[in-house]
Amino acid sequence: MPAPNPLSALLAPSSVAIFGASNDPTRISGRSLRYFREAGFRGGLYPINPTRDTVQGVIAYPDIASVPGPVECAVIAVPANLAVEAMEACVQKGVKAVVMFTAGFAEIGPEGRAMQTRITQIAKDGGIRLCGPNCLGLFNMRIGHTPTFSSFLEEGPTPAGPLGMVTQSGAFGTHLLALTARRGIAVGVWLSTGNEADVAVADGISFMADDPDTVAIACYVEAIKDGARFAEAVARARRNGKPVICMKVGGSAVGHAAAASHTASLAGNDAIYDAALRQLGVERAKTPEDLVEIAYACTRGRLPRSRRLAVVTMSGGAGVLMADAAEEEGLELTPLADESQKAVLSWVPFAAPRNPVDVTAQALNDPSILDKSFDLLLGKEKFPAMVGFFTTWASSPQMAEPLYQAVSGAVSRHPDAYFALSAIAQPDMQRRYEAAGIGVYEDPWRAVEAIAAAVRCAERLHTPPLSVPPLPRDLPPLPKGRIAEYEAKRILAAAGIPVLDEILATSAGEAAAAASGLGEEHLVLKIVSPDIAHKTEMGGVMLDVPAGEVGEAYERLVARVQARAMNATIDGVLISPMLKGGTEMILGVQNDPVFGPVVMLGLGGIFVEVLRDVTFRIAPFGCEEAQRMIAELRGAAILQGARGQPPADLDALAEALSNLSLFAAAKRAEFTSIDINPLLVRAKGEGAAALDALILTPE
Amino acid sequence: MPAPNPLSALLAPSSVAIFGASNDPTRISGRSLRYFREAGFRGGLYPINPTRDTVQGVIAYPDIASVPGPVECAVIAVPANLAVEAMEACVQKGVKAVVMFTAGFAEIGPEGRAMQTRITQIAKDGGIRLCGPNCLGLFNMRIGHTPTFSSFLEEGPTPAGPLGMVTQSGAFGTHLLALTARRGIAVGVWLSTGNEADVAVADGISFMADDPDTVAIACYVEAIKDGARFAEAVARARRNGKPVICMKVGGSAVGHAAAASHTASLAGNDAIYDAALRQLGVERAKTPEDLVEIAYACTRGRLPRSRRLAVVTMSGGAGVLMADAAEEEGLELTPLADESQKAVLSWVPFAAPRNPVDVTAQALNDPSILDKSFDLLLGKEKFPAMVGFFTTWASSPQMAEPLYQAVSGAVSRHPDAYFALSAIAQPDMQRRYEAAGIGVYEDPWRAVEAIAAAVRCAERLHTPPLSVPPLPRDLPPLPKGRIAEYEAKRILAAAGIPVLDEILATSAGEAAAAASGLGEEHLVLKIVSPDIAHKTEMGGVMLDVPAGEVGEAYERLVARVQARAMNATIDGVLISPMLKGGTEMILGVQNDPVFGPVVMLGLGGIFVEVLRDVTFRIAPFGCEEAQRMIAELRGAAILQGARGQPPADLDALAEALSNLSLFAAAKRAEFTSIDINPLLVRAKGEGAAALDALILTPE
């Protein structure tokens, strides 16, 4: 027996008490009880109501202590000022999970925040998992468990379908439930998290990852509080073969502010969220429609096995459009073999036989053309996925049935194939297709987009997660405050970031000796001073100094800096080789409040400054993830040898990135930010070198 | 009386003959007649059928010559081999327009193409406008004119609504008609153009621009054959206050190939299409859903007057999401005045009062909160557009009617306001909102997108088209073949493209004299030879030569080139000032088969070569359009003074672009391509200069 999921008391309890349950089934305090009864919950169900013997026909108890036998889960909808008392009673009774609808906590200001902290502490000390407060609750239709007042259940219990859904906002969650239902997707388990005093979106994902009847998980997120917990939940879903689709809002300035004022959560940087979701293998949906359509595509009973797509149409125009969509989405319309093209032409002389395959309106006269075409594409040509455009045929009296027979027949003969239909069908016909595992899309572009999302989800599930090297151990503690170039580079060098051979000279004589020791023709001299943040602006850098002139240059450099920064302590001058060529990159790490250390990579110069061409990854990660990061840069071609440059040493860059991420992860508690600007990447085989670096740590 | 539109015989005739009309109303040759009867066409209707006295109850004629009185429009559905004869009979009868369903013409190969040319010529000589062949026909429900066999009319005549639709593909057009109908938009006039032997999408737009009952025009295009005709039609629609929304497919490689094989049309470069549509003021829709939703947003009886948007919700989550969408779409959620925010809080203590305005579920208890909020936003705060998110309230027994009263009341009190609702409504309630001019969207993101599209359409209609300066006249004819640097720059200089003072020297003495004549300290020397295409590669360029050394440099340069290109004719050496600083741009013109001369602009170096950061405009255009073009470059910040550079002389660049476009338009018949690479743009006030140029003309 595996250990039960930590949320099973909340989402799959054997007994439920409802505080303040009303006899009026239309009131908020009466709705949940009604939903339980309508959904046929078989566990213990205990309305708590001191004024009635029964509530809606169910035996009521004056308080939770009076309930005979154990109560696993409790619903609290009492006003905020009574919530503490109710929570304490739950602890006394040994309740394991509480759903708290009550509003008036952290979302209303400091006073509410203090109250929320108090009930959260009571729950924690009492071993209770708390959902909410300020939430709309949840349902698990697999057992008829409905601790919610969402109006979604007003029309009766919803089928216990294959989709799991977690939404931070209950009101918007209700809207998403309505949209999915209209699209013909049944949500079996839904959780809204409200203020997330304890239970967060991640916990819901984790429960649904374990739920054997959930095949895909859709979420709506305004802010993730704990990135690591979220990552763990997503990894669990992946291990269990379930795609996670996520809409994360609050990316705009106004949206960010609005999100911060809503359900008391702080939204982070959207670019980092975007990178993190990609890295974790989450399919990010941009709009509610996208979320619903991707969820639809991922709950058809199978997922496409590769990016090859066959397109069959009865209209050339739709074929063109779907070819455009496929290219944009990265699907491959590989052309049919010559022999297969000849076969198509033998059935339909004016067909387009290549792919898209346009069988023309000829199939109206001879529906067997459809059977033959589908078998050719899914059988002989072994396409893992196919989309057919048949416009209103699916609803025409003449063609609706023959089309259904052809499509469902093909799917039953080729059960691994992923078949999507772009057509306009009446609701009952639409349901028949769906029951056969075939998604129906009115818009052919949308059909291709949905297939592509399903392909991406399948690819993530079938690709093992990239390995992450072990974190470095036994690193000495970082100094406090501002760690400037010389020291920062030594620290990073010890962590595997390449730096140049360089020597700190404290006199002209040492400088000259260092120059000849390094054996380079030209050198760079840089002032080393804890008091000078911007070396170049203070005249503290000399480039391209011939080896023989380094002693004299030392004197000039020190004099120049002293003239400009009279009180600066000067620790010496750093002598290093003058490199020519190569590409300057900017590497950085910031300690994100949600995801912890996040590594940034950008190309130097205009790419970062004008185009904001940067990419992020959560630390730690290995070289393969670093290579993906590099490839994401719009200016990546520069590194691959555009404009006659030699290809850059991408392996060295990837290794530096990975090592930086390992160092940052190991030292996450000790620093605020790390900058390597620039890291010079030289030609393939010549490595890379951090030319300057800065580490900031808390004082 | 304005002149009738050239397509009125086709789209609004007073009499119609149908060749080969069948008595079987389900057959292709019988359908159109049935549709005419069902739609109540009041004009003359003449089935042509040699075997029957009546067809479907209508008196038939053995041939068109036998029809008493004139026939303005004829429908030809006879097999291809009989089409010539039918067309000739139409000419004899004085028919003015023919709709030809018949397939088997240019789309099937050379033989069909020849046949198509023949019938097109017969039509042209006979004064007949030809729609098709290989088309599904058209309808104009305003008069019950239905020369089509599209299955869209199988469910009976469609209402004569406000949307006009032109689709190159009839099958896909039928699908779009079905999608718009399902969305509650009635298409009053529809035209499919098939092979476009004569009548093209542009002609349909032009007719609908003149049709008083059409308020917006949607089109589906695979290829535009005549860019000028298309531009003229769109301009006509704009003058008449009608937005044009266009989906252009075939942008991908496979899609392009598929489009080329379909309805015998050649698709052009998608980047040029994209630029052209933008320049012409067409709203480009990417997907069928987008096309339908934008058409829906543009047929609500009004358009929004500016980009300011008020968002009202009952869910914080939806507010966040709509704020994100608004930012992405360039709409402005300006915050409410303090006083207004206080008013909102006085009605709903826990409201978010800023914008998005979250009135919370409180309005469930007190719907007057909605009235007050709407009046505040549309009245006192004068928002031109508002979107309200009210999820399932629009379909809840308790709230559906109060919400409708509040929303429709606000719209009737503020008739100029554009109000969109994001909600889930039952079909009858949805229709009631629509009748009140309110669009209803299930997805709040989609609602904001649709409003933004309506705003863009309104902006285009309210902004007069940019003026275009007159084309230069009396330019000398261009020489034939390859016009190299020296001559190309002189030609372009005469057209107003700035070039440097430069002197062609044919001896060392002339070179030295030229150098001192130019009065510059450093000069550039470039070989002038009709036989050398790549000067730099042949050692034909010397940069930064001190003025005193120019004579000697001349000798070295000529000797060097002669050594490498022994048989090259050398016309001399061009002596020009050596400029430092500035930004190198690439300007080009290509003669596009669809749009004629198209001007390209890119930033030199990595921007063009790595990032493909280029932008296009159809010639000719003025400086304001040129400024927009510059602003579209992703690297535009470089010119505006990023990275500590002085801001560049954008006015000089814009003038050069505009002058190049005027020159190209004037000389469109005489050149193949023009390249100015680079054009150096100097600091603001210092102008620009073409440093090299090449013009290719047909030999």
Side-chain angles (χ1 to χ4, degrees), chain B residues 355-372:
Chain B
N355 191 15
V357 175
D358 178 4
V359 297
T360 78
Q362 196 59 34
L364 283 172
N365 299 326
D366 177 8
S368 80
I369 290 169
L370 299 177
D371 300 312
K372 288 186 283 193

Side-chain angles (χ1 to χ4, degrees), chain A residues 351-647:
Chain A
R354 196 178 147 84
N355 190 13
V357 175
D358 179 4
V359 297
T360 78
Q362 195 59 32
L364 283 174
N365 299 327
D366 177 7
S368 80
I369 290 170
L370 298 178
D371 301 312
K372 288 185 282 193
S373 303
F374 297 163
D375 280 338
L376 180 75
L377 292 164
L378 300 180
K380 189 159 192 303
E381 290 278 334
K382 293 192 172 55
F383 278 96
M386 171 151 75
V387 56
F389 175 81
F390 294 102
T391 183
T392 52
W393 289 10
S395 51
S396 95
Q398 176 201 347
M399 276 306 286
E401 195 59 36
L403 182 64
Y404 174 76
Q405 294 304 335
V407 171
S408 60
V411 168
S412 67
R413 289 192 297 282
H414 308 279
D416 287 343
Y418 190 91
F419 201 134
L421 197 64
S422 177
I424 295 175
Q426 300 304 324
D428 54 336
M429 182 54 90
Q430 176 112 3
R431 296 292 96 89
R432 283 176 71 195
Y433 279 111
E434 288 161 356
I438 299 146
V440 183
Y441 303 82
E442 292 190 348
D443 179 345
W445 188 287
R446 179 64 88 176
V448 174
E449 273 182 348
I451 293 169
V455 166
R456 287 191 298 270
C457 288
E459 281 176 350
R460 289 186 200 106
L461 294 175
H462 298 146
T463 314
L466 297 180
S467 64
V468 177
L471 300 193
R473 304 203 307 176
D474 307 323
L475 293 172
L478 295 181
K480 296 289 173 205
R482 189 173 180 287
I483 309 175
E485 175 177 0
Y486 180 61
E487 197 172 2
K489 285 202 287 193
R490 286 196 314 156
I491 292 169
L492 292 170
I497 317 292
V499 298
L500 297 179
D501 282 343
E502 52 190 14
I503 295 170
L504 179 64
T506 56
S507 68
E510 279 182 30
S516 60
L518 289 168
E520 299 280 338
E521 277 182 36
H522 290 80
L523 298 119
V524 176
L525 279 66
K526 288 189 274 190
I527 203 78
V528 177
S529 161
D531 304 318
I532 295 175
H534 302 286
K535 290 184 286 282
T536 307
E537 286 80 342
M538 297 304 287
V541 178
M542 282 183 176
L543 299 176
D544 220 3
V545 179
E549 299 170 18
V550 165
E552 179 219 2
Y554 178 97
E555 303 284 10
R556 272 194 293 135
L557 183 71
V558 170
R560 191 160 80 184
V561 171
Q562 278 174 333
R564 297 195 194 177
M566 289 194 268
N567 299 320
T569 305
I570 292 177
D571 292 339
V573 169
L574 205 55
I575 317 292
S576 52
M578 174 78 199
L579 297 188
K580 304 247 161 115
T583 305
E584 293 193 350
M585 309 297 296
I586 299 178
L587 278 63
V589 187
Q590 46 184 293
N591 231 329
D592 186 76
V594 175
F595 294 105
V598 174
V599 177
M600 185 209 81
L601 172 69
L603 268 155
I606 53 157
F607 282 93
V608 164
E609 292 176 34
V610 176
L611 301 172
R612 313 272 167 230
D613 182 19
V614 295
T615 175
F616 298 91
R617 281 296 183 286
I618 307 173
F621 53 82
C623 288
E624 206 176 334
E625 189 73 61
Q627 293 280 11
R628 290 188 189 173
M629 195 174 176
I630 298 164
E632 274 170 19
L633 291 173
R634 279 188 273 158
I638 294 277
L639 293 165
Q640 285 144 6
R643 308 194 76 213
Q645 284 200 30

